[in-house]
PDB file of all heavy atoms in Angstrom:
ATOM      1  N   CYS R 203      88.592 105.242 133.398  1.00  0.00           N
ATOM      2  CA  CYS R 203      88.144 104.513 132.210  1.00  0.00           C
ATOM      3  C   CYS R 203      87.715 103.093 132.570  1.00  0.00           C
ATOM      4  O   CYS R 203      86.698 102.590 132.079  1.00  0.00           O
ATOM      5  CB  CYS R 203      89.263 104.464 131.166  1.00  0.00           C
ATOM      6  SG  CYS R 203      89.672 106.035 130.390  1.00  0.00           S
ATOM      7  N   ILE R 204      88.502 102.443 133.419  1.00  0.00           N
ATOM      8  CA  ILE R 204      88.196 101.070 133.821  1.00  0.00           C
ATOM      9  C   ILE R 204      86.901 101.026 134.618  1.00  0.00           C
ATOM     10  O   ILE R 204      86.011 100.199 134.356  1.00  0.00           O
ATOM     11  CB  ILE R 204      89.362 100.483 134.645  1.00  0.00           C
ATOM     12  CG1 ILE R 204      90.605 100.314 133.763  1.00  0.00           C
ATOM     13  CG2 ILE R 204      88.959  99.149 135.277  1.00  0.00           C
ATOM     14  CD1 ILE R 204      91.874 100.019 134.540  1.00  0.00           C
ATOM     15  N   LEU R 205      86.750 101.920 135.588  1.00  0.00           N
ATOM     16  CA  LEU R 205      85.547 101.927 136.422  1.00  0.00           C
ATOM     17  C   LEU R 205      84.318 102.273 135.585  1.00  0.00           C
ATOM     18  O   LEU R 205      83.240 101.691 135.780  1.00  0.00           O
ATOM     19  CB  LEU R 205      85.733 102.924 137.571  1.00  0.00           C
ATOM     20  CG  LEU R 205      84.717 102.896 138.713  1.00  0.00           C
ATOM     21  CD1 LEU R 205      84.462 101.480 139.219  1.00  0.00           C
ATOM     22  CD2 LEU R 205      85.188 103.789 139.852  1.00  0.00           C
ATOM     23  N   TYR R 206      84.463 103.180 134.644  1.00  0.00           N
ATOM     24  CA  TYR R 206      83.380 103.522 133.716  1.00  0.00           C
ATOM     25  C   TYR R 206      82.938 102.276 132.963  1.00  0.00           C
ATOM     26  O   TYR R 206      81.743 101.979 132.839  1.00  0.00           O
ATOM     27  CB  TYR R 206      83.888 104.594 132.750  1.00  0.00           C
ATOM     28  CG  TYR R 206      82.848 105.210 131.837  1.00  0.00           C
ATOM     29  CD1 TYR R 206      82.316 106.466 132.121  1.00  0.00           C
ATOM     30  CD2 TYR R 206      82.433 104.581 130.660  1.00  0.00           C
ATOM     31  CE1 TYR R 206      81.389 107.070 131.273  1.00  0.00           C
ATOM     32  CE2 TYR R 206      81.516 105.165 129.812  1.00  0.00           C
ATOM     33  CZ  TYR R 206      80.994 106.412 130.125  1.00  0.00           C
ATOM     34  OH  TYR R 206      80.081 106.994 129.276  1.00  0.00           O
ATOM     35  N   GLN R 207      83.903 101.500 132.483  1.00  0.00           N
ATOM     36  CA  GLN R 207      83.591 100.280 131.740  1.00  0.00           C
ATOM     37  C   GLN R 207      82.940  99.226 132.630  1.00  0.00           C
ATOM     38  O   GLN R 207      81.975  98.561 132.224  1.00  0.00           O
ATOM     39  CB  GLN R 207      84.861  99.718 131.105  1.00  0.00           C
ATOM     40  CG  GLN R 207      84.642  98.460 130.273  1.00  0.00           C
ATOM     41  CD  GLN R 207      85.916  97.984 129.610  1.00  0.00           C
ATOM     42  OE1 GLN R 207      87.003  98.530 129.844  1.00  0.00           O
ATOM     43  NE2 GLN R 207      85.807  96.960 128.780  1.00  0.00           N
ATOM     44  N   LEU R 208      83.447  99.060 133.836  1.00  0.00           N
ATOM     45  CA  LEU R 208      82.885  98.063 134.745  1.00  0.00           C
ATOM     46  C   LEU R 208      81.423  98.360 135.059  1.00  0.00           C
ATOM     47  O   LEU R 208      80.612  97.453 135.245  1.00  0.00           O
ATOM     48  CB  LEU R 208      83.682  98.011 136.048  1.00  0.00           C
ATOM     49  CG  LEU R 208      85.160  97.598 135.972  1.00  0.00           C
ATOM     50  CD1 LEU R 208      85.762  97.520 137.363  1.00  0.00           C
ATOM     51  CD2 LEU R 208      85.344  96.288 135.235  1.00  0.00           C
ATOM     52  N   LEU R 209      81.079  99.653 135.117  1.00  0.00           N
ATOM     53  CA  LEU R 209      79.721 100.060 135.499  1.00  0.00           C
ATOM     54  C   LEU R 209      78.761 100.173 134.318  1.00  0.00           C
ATOM     55  O   LEU R 209      77.553  99.972 134.477  1.00  0.00           O
ATOM     56  CB  LEU R 209      79.776 101.403 136.228  1.00  0.00           C
ATOM     57  CG  LEU R 209      80.469 101.405 137.598  1.00  0.00           C
ATOM     58  CD1 LEU R 209      80.663 102.824 138.092  1.00  0.00           C
ATOM     59  CD2 LEU R 209      79.682 100.587 138.615  1.00  0.00           C
ATOM     60  N   THR R 210      79.283 100.509 133.142  1.00  0.00           N
ATOM     61  CA  THR R 210      78.395 100.776 131.996  1.00  0.00           C
ATOM     62  C   THR R 210      78.455  99.729 130.897  1.00  0.00           C
ATOM     63  O   THR R 210      77.572  99.675 130.040  1.00  0.00           O
ATOM     64  CB  THR R 210      78.720 102.142 131.357  1.00  0.00           C
ATOM     65  OG1 THR R 210      79.993 102.062 130.687  1.00  0.00           O
ATOM     66  CG2 THR R 210      78.751 103.249 132.398  1.00  0.00           C
ATOM     67  N   GLY R 211      79.511  98.914 130.890  1.00  0.00           N
ATOM     68  CA  GLY R 211      79.630  97.902 129.846  1.00  0.00           C
ATOM     69  C   GLY R 211      80.383  98.370 128.616  1.00  0.00           C
ATOM     70  O   GLY R 211      80.494  97.615 127.636  1.00  0.00           O
ATOM     71  N   ARG R 212      80.936  99.590 128.638  1.00  0.00           N
ATOM     72  CA  ARG R 212      81.729 100.089 127.510  1.00  0.00           C
ATOM     73  C   ARG R 212      82.766 101.079 128.026  1.00  0.00           C
ATOM     74  O   ARG R 212      82.618 101.652 129.112  1.00  0.00           O
ATOM     75  CB  ARG R 212      80.846 100.768 126.465  1.00  0.00           C
ATOM     76  CG  ARG R 212      79.895 101.806 127.021  1.00  0.00           C
ATOM     77  CD  ARG R 212      79.421 102.780 125.980  1.00  0.00           C
ATOM     78  NE  ARG R 212      80.433 103.797 125.696  1.00  0.00           N
ATOM     79  CZ  ARG R 212      80.242 104.831 124.869  1.00  0.00           C
ATOM     80  NH1 ARG R 212      79.090 104.959 124.230  1.00  0.00           N
ATOM     81  NH2 ARG R 212      81.185 105.726 124.674  1.00  0.00           N
ATOM     82  N   THR R 213      83.828 101.265 127.255  1.00  0.00           N
ATOM     83  CA  THR R 213      84.814 102.269 127.608  1.00  0.00           C
ATOM     84  C   THR R 213      84.253 103.662 127.330  1.00  0.00           C
ATOM     85  O   THR R 213      83.272 103.801 126.589  1.00  0.00           O
ATOM     86  CB  THR R 213      86.107 102.054 126.799  1.00  0.00           C
ATOM     87  OG1 THR R 213      85.779 101.991 125.403  1.00  0.00           O
ATOM     88  CG2 THR R 213      86.805 100.761 127.220  1.00  0.00           C
ATOM     89  N   PRO R 214      84.824 104.707 127.910  1.00  0.00           N
ATOM     90  CA  PRO R 214      84.276 106.052 127.718  1.00  0.00           C
ATOM     91  C   PRO R 214      84.159 106.457 126.250  1.00  0.00           C
ATOM     92  O   PRO R 214      83.231 107.163 125.867  1.00  0.00           O
ATOM     93  CB  PRO R 214      85.265 106.946 128.461  1.00  0.00           C
ATOM     94  CG  PRO R 214      85.840 106.063 129.528  1.00  0.00           C
ATOM     95  CD  PRO R 214      85.928 104.708 128.890  1.00  0.00           C
ATOM     96  N   PHE R 215      85.103 106.008 125.426  1.00  0.00           N
ATOM     97  CA  PHE R 215      85.078 106.335 124.004  1.00  0.00           C
ATOM     98  C   PHE R 215      85.322 105.067 123.192  1.00  0.00           C
ATOM     99  O   PHE R 215      86.124 104.215 123.578  1.00  0.00           O
ATOM    100  CB  PHE R 215      86.130 107.396 123.673  1.00  0.00           C
ATOM    101  CG  PHE R 215      85.950 108.660 124.463  1.00  0.00           C
ATOM    102  CD1 PHE R 215      86.794 108.959 125.519  1.00  0.00           C
ATOM    103  CD2 PHE R 215      84.922 109.539 124.163  1.00  0.00           C
ATOM    104  CE1 PHE R 215      86.625 110.113 126.265  1.00  0.00           C
ATOM    105  CE2 PHE R 215      84.732 110.693 124.904  1.00  0.00           C
ATOM    106  CZ  PHE R 215      85.580 110.985 125.956  1.00  0.00           C
ATOM    107  N   VAL R 216      84.626 104.961 122.067  1.00  0.00           N
ATOM    108  CA  VAL R 216      84.720 103.769 121.224  1.00  0.00           C
ATOM    109  C   VAL R 216      84.989 104.203 119.795  1.00  0.00           C
ATOM    110  O   VAL R 216      84.302 105.076 119.258  1.00  0.00           O
ATOM    111  CB  VAL R 216      83.411 102.948 121.281  1.00  0.00           C
ATOM    112  CG1 VAL R 216      83.504 101.720 120.377  1.00  0.00           C
ATOM    113  CG2 VAL R 216      83.098 102.529 122.720  1.00  0.00           C
ATOM    114  N   SER R 217      86.000 103.623 119.170  1.00  0.00           N
ATOM    115  CA  SER R 217      86.335 103.918 117.777  1.00  0.00           C
ATOM    116  C   SER R 217      87.170 102.780 117.232  1.00  0.00           C
ATOM    117  O   SER R 217      87.898 102.114 117.976  1.00  0.00           O
ATOM    118  CB  SER R 217      87.108 105.233 117.671  1.00  0.00           C
ATOM    119  OG  SER R 217      87.556 105.453 116.351  1.00  0.00           O
ATOM    120  N   GLU R 218      87.082 102.537 115.937  1.00  0.00           N
ATOM    121  CA  GLU R 218      87.870 101.469 115.322  1.00  0.00           C
ATOM    122  C   GLU R 218      89.328 101.873 115.142  1.00  0.00           C
ATOM    123  O   GLU R 218      90.207 101.031 115.124  1.00  0.00           O
ATOM    124  CB  GLU R 218      87.261 101.084 113.965  1.00  0.00           C
ATOM    125  CG  GLU R 218      85.911 100.394 114.075  1.00  0.00           C
ATOM    126  CD  GLU R 218      85.391  99.926 112.735  1.00  0.00           C
ATOM    127  OE1 GLU R 218      86.119 100.098 111.730  1.00  0.00           O
ATOM    128  OE2 GLU R 218      84.269  99.386 112.695  1.00  0.00           O
ATOM    129  N   GLY R 219      89.590 103.168 114.989  1.00  0.00           N
ATOM    130  CA  GLY R 219      90.953 103.627 114.755  1.00  0.00           C
ATOM    131  C   GLY R 219      91.594 104.202 115.995  1.00  0.00           C
ATOM    132  O   GLY R 219      90.965 104.951 116.753  1.00  0.00           O
ATOM    133  N   ALA R 220      92.866 103.883 116.209  1.00  0.00           N
ATOM    134  CA  ALA R 220      93.574 104.381 117.387  1.00  0.00           C
ATOM    135  C   ALA R 220      93.700 105.899 117.366  1.00  0.00           C
ATOM    136  O   ALA R 220      93.547 106.568 118.393  1.00  0.00           O
ATOM    137  CB  ALA R 220      94.958 103.738 117.475  1.00  0.00           C
ATOM    138  N   GLY R 221      93.964 106.481 116.195  1.00  0.00           N
ATOM    139  CA  GLY R 221      94.113 107.929 116.099  1.00  0.00           C
ATOM    140  C   GLY R 221      92.837 108.662 116.464  1.00  0.00           C
ATOM    141  O   GLY R 221      92.862 109.647 117.216  1.00  0.00           O
ATOM    142  N   GLU R 222      91.703 108.185 115.939  1.00  0.00           N
ATOM    143  CA  GLU R 222      90.431 108.816 116.262  1.00  0.00           C
ATOM    144  C   GLU R 222      90.108 108.643 117.738  1.00  0.00           C
ATOM    145  O   GLU R 222      89.597 109.558 118.387  1.00  0.00           O
ATOM    146  CB  GLU R 222      89.310 108.230 115.411  1.00  0.00           C
ATOM    147  CG  GLU R 222      87.957 108.864 115.667  1.00  0.00           C
ATOM    148  CD  GLU R 222      86.839 108.287 114.807  1.00  0.00           C
ATOM    149  OE1 GLU R 222      87.124 107.405 113.988  1.00  0.00           O
ATOM    150  OE2 GLU R 222      85.689 108.716 114.982  1.00  0.00           O
ATOM    151  N   LEU R 223      90.405 107.467 118.281  1.00  0.00           N
ATOM    152  CA  LEU R 223      90.143 107.213 119.694  1.00  0.00           C
ATOM    153  C   LEU R 223      90.944 108.171 120.579  1.00  0.00           C
ATOM    154  O   LEU R 223      90.433 108.716 121.568  1.00  0.00           O
ATOM    155  CB  LEU R 223      90.491 105.759 120.017  1.00  0.00           C
ATOM    156  CG  LEU R 223      90.102 105.207 121.386  1.00  0.00           C
ATOM    157  CD1 LEU R 223      88.643 105.477 121.698  1.00  0.00           C
ATOM    158  CD2 LEU R 223      90.393 103.714 121.442  1.00  0.00           C
ATOM    159  N   MET R 224      92.198 108.404 120.215  1.00  0.00           N
ATOM    160  CA  MET R 224      93.028 109.327 120.986  1.00  0.00           C
ATOM    161  C   MET R 224      92.505 110.755 120.871  1.00  0.00           C
ATOM    162  O   MET R 224      92.545 111.525 121.840  1.00  0.00           O
ATOM    163  CB  MET R 224      94.482 109.216 120.532  1.00  0.00           C
ATOM    164  CG  MET R 224      95.109 107.876 120.897  1.00  0.00           C
ATOM    165  SD  MET R 224      96.671 107.530 120.058  1.00  0.00           S
ATOM    166  CE  MET R 224      97.750 108.658 120.898  1.00  0.00           C
TER     167      MET R 224
END
Side-chain angles (χ1 to χ4, degrees):
C203 291
I204 293 168
L205 192 48
Y206 188 101
Q207 182 177 5
L208 298 183
L209 293 170
T210 70
R212 50 159 282 184
T213 53
F215 302 105
V216 179
S217 174
E218 291 185 3
E222 181 179 359
L223 189 51
M224 292 166 72

